[in-house]
Amino acid sequence: SALAEETMQRAAPFLAQGARRGVPFLGRRRITVSAGGPATRRSTEVTRDLEGPVFVAHLAVDPGGAKALLCMDGKAIAFLLEGCLGGDGTDLPRLQKRGLSAPQAAFIDRVVGNVVRTLSSALSHTLGLSLTKLPVLGGEKVASGVMVLLPMYFRDSRKAAKANDKGGDLDDFDRPDDAPAAEDDDDDGAS
């Protein structure tokens, strides 16, 4: 498990960059993406602490056929729905904790497909691995075992600048105080 965590730590900056490229509005809005530290958890604990609704995409890793998950909590889903549909970040939709509507789930599934492609490209260049998003069959359970988690955090650089100008606190949508800030680049986020 230590080797898996070390491998994820090495790949983390490339995965963060891949996640940003997978959602073009992140670059246009100067949103930075950073990866937290990898941590080993039992698979049954992966989604336990996430704010609902939670979206889980099942992935296959090649070569080797290992399984992986891409999970999004309610905050990330609301942020992606608002941003992908042209919002300016000031009015995130309220989501039902019990689950996404069919159109919301279909939209997020499409966004996740694009993110998986860019994450796969990042892994291919750094570790020689690729990811494939598995079809949604409904009712899938997370397989038992151990997984290495790599949380991703989003930071709105424009909000940071406004908060600093006003002397206020930055309200990152998803980054705890102890998470590393991402280095900002001039990438436009297009993939």
Side-chain angles (χ1 to χ4, degrees), residues 7-67:
T7 302
M8 288 299 282
Q9 185 66 45
R10 192 168 27 113
F14 302 102
L15 290 171
Q17 186 178 42
R20 185 170 187 242
R21 285 194 169 123
V23 186
F25 88 85
L26 296 177
R28 288 192 300 273
R29 284 190 26 196
R30 310 271 308 150
I31 304 293
T32 57
V33 180
S34 62
T40 303
R41 298 280 186 271
R42 296 196 58 72
S43 60
T44 55
E45 299 172 353
V46 171
T47 61
R48 182 182 61 201
D49 296 329
L50 297 179
E51 180 181 317
V54 175
F55 184 89
V56 178
H58 294 261
L59 312 174
V61 181
D62 290 311
K67 302 295 183 214

Side-chain angles (χ1 to χ4, degrees), residues 137-160:
L137 301 174
E140 288 131 322
K141 300 285 184 197
V142 175
S144 63
V146 176
M147 298 186 141
V148 177
L149 301 179
L150 184 69
M152 297 282 178
Y153 305 103
F154 300 82
R155 180 172 184 250
D156 187 335
S157 300
R158 293 183 304 178
K159 277 188 177 180

Side-chain angles (χ1 to χ4, degrees), residues 15-181:
L15 290 171
Q17 186 178 42
R20 185 170 187 242
R21 285 194 169 123
V23 186
F25 88 85
L26 296 177
R28 288 192 300 273
R29 284 190 26 196
R30 310 271 308 150
I31 304 293
T32 57
V33 180
S34 62
T40 303
R41 298 280 186 271
R42 296 196 58 72
S43 60
T44 55
E45 299 172 353
V46 171
T47 61
R48 182 182 61 201
D49 296 329
L50 297 179
E51 180 181 317
V54 175
F55 184 89
V56 178
H58 294 261
L59 312 174
V61 181
D62 290 311
K67 302 295 183 214
L69 300 174
L70 189 148
C71 304
M72 291 188 185
D73 69 2
K75 287 181 182 180
I77 293 167
F79 181 74
L80 289 173
L81 286 170
E82 188 271 344
C84 288
L85 297 174
D88 65 0
T90 59
D91 192 25
L92 297 182
R94 290 193 184 272
L95 302 174
Q96 298 296 321
K97 300 262 186 225
R98 68 182 180 276
L100 298 174
S101 68
Q104 288 170 333
F107 186 81
I108 291 299
D109 188 57
R110 234 180 18 241
V111 171
V112 165
N114 195 43
V115 170
V116 168
R117 283 188 292 280
T118 58
L119 291 175
S120 183
S121 177
L123 282 175
S124 175
H125 294 311
T126 58
L127 301 175
L129 300 173
S130 67
L131 297 173
T132 304
K133 185 177 166 301
L134 300 173
V136 177
L137 301 174
E140 288 131 322
K141 300 285 184 197
V142 175
S144 63
V146 176
M147 298 186 141
V148 177
L149 301 179
L150 184 69
M152 297 282 178
Y153 305 103
F154 300 82
R155 180 172 184 250
D156 187 335
S157 300
R158 293 183 304 178
K159 277 188 177 180
K162 286 180 186 177
N164 288 338
D165 289 345
K166 294 179 182 179
D169 293 330
L170 171 64
D171 182 23
D172 282 351
F173 109 64
D174 201 28
R175 186 168 68 96
D177 293 335
D178 60 345

